[in-house]
Amino acid sequence: MRKVRSIDTGPEVRVRRALHSAGFRFRLHRRDLPGSPDLVFPRYKIAVFVHGCFWHWHGCKRSRMPATNQEYWESKIARNVERDHQTRIQLDALEWDVQIIWECELQQGVDTIMKQLNERRWQEASRVA
Ligand SMILES: [Zn+2]
């Protein structure tokens, strides 16, 4: 969530560092795209969101309702989930590839994206050759 997330700490930064040190270049928070994705690879039209498990309701053990104010949290999270859903539909319509990295599976998410980026690079290189 924007309100509790500071810009330069946490999972998103770890994802950025991992991809950056592997030699990938990207843009951050492109506001001209639906949902202003956390990372954007314009060349390959890949939009990446790093999602907190609670705020975006991953369904893992990190997404557990607090004991108090449940109604409040439920409606708040339901709005986030709905917004995520709409964002995905809008990006799909613009033919962007949407990748979600969950907070509890950062490394796995980074690996998936690296694999995808390497494949795109390879495809590009073989087209040129
Ligand atoms: Zn999770």
Side-chain angles (χ1 to χ4, degrees):
M1 272 298 288
R2 207 161 288 129
K3 253 177 272 174
V4 295
R5 182 175 72 191
S6 69
I7 294 295
D8 283 313
T9 54
E12 192 192 317
V13 169
R14 287 167 59 198
V15 167
R16 273 193 236 159
R17 287 201 184 122
L19 290 166
H20 195 267
S21 65
F24 296 108
R25 297 299 175 257
F26 42 82
R27 304 275 304 276
L28 301 175
H29 304 286
R30 279 258 313 253
R31 302 210 183 277
D32 57 326
L33 287 174
S36 63
D38 295 319
L39 281 78
V40 169
F41 297 86
R43 187 185 186 104
Y44 304 114
K45 287 189 97 173
I46 297 173
V48 178
F49 292 89
V50 183
H51 274 353
C53 297
F54 177 74
W55 297 103
H56 297 269
W57 211 250
H58 187 201
C60 67
K61 64 177 194 285
R62 290 188 191 206
S63 22
R64 198 177 287 155
M65 265 307 146
T68 55
N69 291 326
Q70 288 204 351
E71 248 170 71
Y72 168 78
W73 293 114
E74 270 166 21
S75 74
K76 196 172 184 65
I77 285 165
R79 281 199 303 275
N80 288 346
V81 170
E82 176 56 25
R83 195 184 307 125
D84 292 343
H85 181 65
Q86 294 304 328
T87 295
R88 181 182 276 271
I89 290 172
Q90 288 165 18
L91 285 166
D92 275 350
L94 296 168
E95 295 178 335
W96 279 77
D97 209 328
V98 178
Q99 294 288 338
I100 307 294
I101 299 185
W102 291 99
E103 189 185 8
C104 68
E105 301 169 341
L106 282 188
Q107 191 55 54
Q108 200 179 313
V110 168
D111 290 347
T112 303
I113 286 161
M114 281 195 198
K115 190 164 170 267
Q116 189 182 26
L117 288 167
N118 281 323
E119 274 165 15
R120 300 281 176 93
R121 272 183 178 172
W122 191 84
Q123 281 165 8
E124 218 179 43
S126 57
R127 263 201 303 274
V128 173

